């Protein structure tokens, strides 16, 4: 049975737990972005300890099948949400894992009083687009901008 849960600081209390968690997440990263080969321990700790970030994972019998990061943040006009890092392992695709992760994120955002939940998706990820549309997301007429700071 596939379950979705939030990774909490308790999941990485010890060095051994943190290492196991990083090792479980590592195979997903290149499937998310081919240039991602590492996950710095500090970044993982920062995400799971942040009151604004929620790292969701889908598991089956202890095996990590997918992940999603939900960021909730206050603005002057409303509580907003952003979905990042959505990836399902190639071997687990077309089993509803992405939908389960997304629904959990929507449920969490709604429960917290979030007014909007946004995400972006690369143009070639047609299956992901169909999922997002089927869950109520809409394309919006806006121009994205990005400044890469290195």
């Amino acid at each position: 049975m596939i379950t979705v849960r939030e990774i909490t600081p308790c999941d990485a209390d010890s060095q051994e737990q943190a290492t196991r968690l990083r090792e479980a997440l590592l195979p997903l990263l290149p499937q998310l972005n081919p240039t991602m080969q590492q996950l710095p321990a500090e970044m993982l700790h920062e995400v799971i300890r942040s009151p604004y970030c929620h790292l969701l994972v889908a598991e089956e019998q202890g095996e990590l099948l997918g992940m999603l990061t939900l960021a909730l943040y206050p603005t002057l006009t409303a509580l907003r949400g952003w979905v990042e890092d959505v990836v399902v392992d190639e071997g687990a695709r077309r089993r509803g894992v992405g939908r389960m992760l997304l629904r959990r994120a929507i449920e969490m955002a709604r429960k917290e009083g979030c007014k909007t939940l946004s995400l972006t998706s690369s143009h070639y990820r047609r299956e992901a687009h169909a999922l997002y549309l089927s869950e109520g997301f809409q394309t919006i007429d806006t121009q994205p901008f990005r400044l890469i700071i290195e």
Side-chain angles (χ1 to χ4, degrees), residues 59-135:
E59 300 170 309
E60 184 176 49
Q61 297 177 349
E63 180 185 351
L64 199 66
L65 303 178
M67 69 176 184
L68 176 153
T69 302
L70 172 64
L72 300 177
Y73 56 97
T75 70
L76 293 177
T77 57
L79 182 65
R80 308 281 180 195
W82 196 270
V83 174
E84 286 283 348
D85 305 331
V86 181
V87 63
V88 174
D89 185 73
E90 288 178 280
R93 293 182 186 161
R94 293 171 194 78
R95 295 179 54 202
V97 176
R99 185 172 306 278
M100 292 173 72
L101 286 162
L102 193 57
R103 284 184 176 173
R104 180 67 180 275
I106 293 168
E107 173 189 314
M108 291 174 73
R110 190 172 279 130
K111 182 179 176 186
E112 292 296 320
C114 199
K115 296 299 178 198
T116 61
L117 188 56
S118 301
L119 58 83
T120 60
S121 183
S122 297
H123 68 279
Y124 59 87
R125 298 189 66 211
R126 300 281 185 222
E127 289 183 34
H129 299 176
L131 168 63
Y132 302 143
L133 291 169
S134 74
E135 290 298 323

Side-chain angles (χ1 to χ4, degrees), residues 7 15 21 24 33 35 48 53 58 66 80 136 141:
I7 298 294
Q15 183 65 35
L21 178 58
N33 179 338
T35 64
I48 62 178
C53 290
R80 308 281 180 195
D141 186 23

